[in-house]
Amino acid sequence: HWYGGPGMYQQRWPVNNGSGVMQPYVTNDFRIRDFPPDTPSENFTAYGNVADRFFFSSKGVAIVVDDVTPLHVSINQSADGKLCFMANYTSDYPNPGGRRPVLKYTVCSGRNALDIHEHMYSRFYQRLNAVPDTRMLEYPVWSTYAQYGPNISQSTVGEFAFQIFDYNLTGSNILIDDSWEGKYGDLTFNTSAFEFPDASKLIGYLHQKGLSVSLWATPFINTDSAAFRESVENGYLVRTDPNNPTLDTPVPALVRWWRGVAGLLDVTNPEARRWYLSRLHFLRENLTVDSFNFDAGEARYFPDIPYYTHEPLVNPSTYSSKWVEMVSSLGVQTAVRT
């Protein structure tokens, strides 16, 4: 039996009890919400938003595939229980230097599954230095999207909290989900009279009801936002390939997501990370927001054209890891869907 590997829509344990066709081993979103907004395109055969290159077996054998490998994986594709690897440069793996694909991996063996897992984890991964806030595991997170979808305002969020309190329900926090921003990427409340005219007052009310407050955020910065102009001027976004002969200067490599057209935050750029986090800290300090719930960040959302990041991404899924690493600095109440 094999364990580890990718998240899958039909998750099986061990993983070879499920199946996956040979495909690029990059982080994906099962439910691709495409243009126009809210038009779903589902790809439930793709691997999901966890694509760890670590596999281990019940016989005490483990495999870690190196990041330099343009990895493709199949799992039980022919109902034979086999785990198959292939190195191949396709559109999902950038290869500006024209490198030949190499399947580079490490195989180790131990006494049993537990023994080899402990050995490989200590050799290839860092130990966790914190645990999530246990309240997030013990009590519900009340999401406005589950109740109202994107149609939220100060009054609907307040009414939601009142209902939770009125029914004597418990909760760890209330998540003000999609549509709280005036423009996606600005990370500021829509302060119009019909949306969130006084966000500080709302958050104070939610705190009075005993609920911590979490805000939804993504790495997307829409082209109609003020943050887009600022991030372009400072080089904070993933850009087009500077070696592209059809362009005089690199420009933001725009992507499509379920809320429009956007630039994608370059999480490999230390200055871009500082800029993004500083705006979240501003919400904490000035509006007493307690935590954040982060969405997206999968390699699937990279542009279809050659792109450039501050640090080259040999393995596109490294973007997901760096995104999670960046936002995890915000504390133990942080939640990430990636």
Side-chain angles (χ1 to χ4, degrees):
H1 298 301
W2 285 99
Y3 306 92
M8 303 173 73
Y9 183 74
Q10 293 185 333
Q11 194 75 51
R12 295 291 185 266
W13 191 84
V15 293
N16 52 291
N17 281 351
S19 65
V21 299
M22 183 64 75
Q23 60 185 285
Y25 196 69
V26 297
T27 51
N28 211 326
D29 189 341
F30 295 127
R31 187 176 174 85
I32 303 300
R33 288 152 286 189
D34 224 335
F35 258 150
D38 295 321
T39 302
S41 174
E42 299 168 338
N43 184 9
F44 294 149
T45 62
Y47 300 133
N49 51 19
V50 174
D52 204 320
R53 294 181 168 210
F54 172 40
F55 301 82
F56 67 102
S57 79
S58 55
K59 292 186 177 181
V61 176
I63 304 170
V64 170
V65 182
D66 197 276
D67 271 348
V68 302
T69 296
L71 182 63
H72 293 59
V73 175
S74 71
I75 300 172
N76 195 28
Q77 181 170 338
S78 302
D80 54 9
K82 291 183 178 179
L83 176 66
C84 298
F85 300 145
M86 178 177 72
N88 187 25
Y89 281 110
T90 56
S91 59
D92 292 276
Y93 287 99
N95 187 22
R99 299 180 298 269
R100 297 184 64 180
V102 175
L103 183 57
K104 183 179 180 182
Y105 56 91
T106 301
V107 179
C108 295
S109 63
R111 293 187 301 272
N112 51 47
L114 176 61
D115 180 57
I116 194 61
H117 183 276
E118 288 292 312
H119 170 75
M120 299 298 275
Y121 201 87
S122 62
R123 178 174 174 181
F124 290 96
Y125 300 93
Q126 293 182 347
R127 294 284 180 181
L128 297 177
N129 55 16
V131 296
D133 187 329
T134 56
R135 291 174 298 175
M136 304 283 286
L137 305 175
E138 295 172 355
Y139 303 105
V141 174
W142 298 100
S143 168
T144 58
Y145 201 91
Q147 181 76 352
Y148 303 105
N151 305 308
I152 59 171
S153 64
Q154 185 158 329
S155 61
T156 56
V157 175
E159 174 63 19
F160 191 31
F162 176 80
Q163 291 175 3
I164 295 168
F165 183 78
D166 193 46
Y167 285 107
N168 198 30
L169 300 173
T170 59
S172 59
N173 70 48
I174 185 167
L175 167 60
I176 303 178
D177 213 308
D178 190 353
S179 294
W180 65 272
E181 295 174 270
K183 300 290 184 182
Y184 290 103
D186 277 341
L187 298 179
T188 56
F189 274 91
N190 183 347
T191 56
S192 72
F194 298 103
E195 302 299 335
F196 293 93
D198 193 341
S200 179
K201 181 178 179 180
L202 170 64
I203 292 172
Y205 172 76
L206 299 176
H207 284 158
Q208 288 177 6
K209 293 298 182 183
L211 293 167
S212 296
V213 178
S214 181
L215 295 180
W216 175 84
T218 76
F220 302 118
I221 301 173
N222 275 21
T223 56
D224 61 351
S225 67
F228 181 79
R229 294 187 291 274
E230 182 181 357
S231 57
V232 169
E233 291 171 359
N234 291 282
Y236 295 155
L237 303 177
V238 174
R239 294 179 287 167
T240 54
D241 187 349
N243 298 315
N244 189 332
T246 64
L247 296 172
D248 294 330
T249 58
V251 296
L254 300 181
V255 299
R256 302 195 324 179
W257 68 298
W258 65 93
R259 289 294 180 232
V261 178
L264 184 64
L265 182 73
D266 185 353
V267 296
T268 74
N269 183 339
E271 291 299 321
R273 291 198 299 267
R274 279 191 284 270
W275 170 75
Y276 188 88
L277 291 172
S278 69
R279 298 183 301 141
L280 299 176
H281 286 301
F282 179 88
L283 290 167
R284 272 188 162 172
E285 294 165 4
N286 290 271
L287 295 179
T288 65
V289 172
D290 298 288
S291 61
F292 299 92
N293 190 296
F294 295 96
D295 205 347
E298 294 90 352
R300 165 60 180 79
Y301 289 106
F302 271 122
D304 294 327
I305 60 174
Y307 57 85
Y308 169 83
T309 51
H310 182 78
E311 295 177 10
L313 293 177
V314 178
N315 174 8
S317 296
T318 301
Y319 183 94
S320 303
S321 300
K322 286 187 173 294
W323 165 244
V324 173
E325 180 184 278
M326 179 189 79
V327 300
S328 66
S329 67
L330 293 165
V332 295
Q333 281 193 332
T334 303
V336 188
R337 190 187 65 86
T338 306

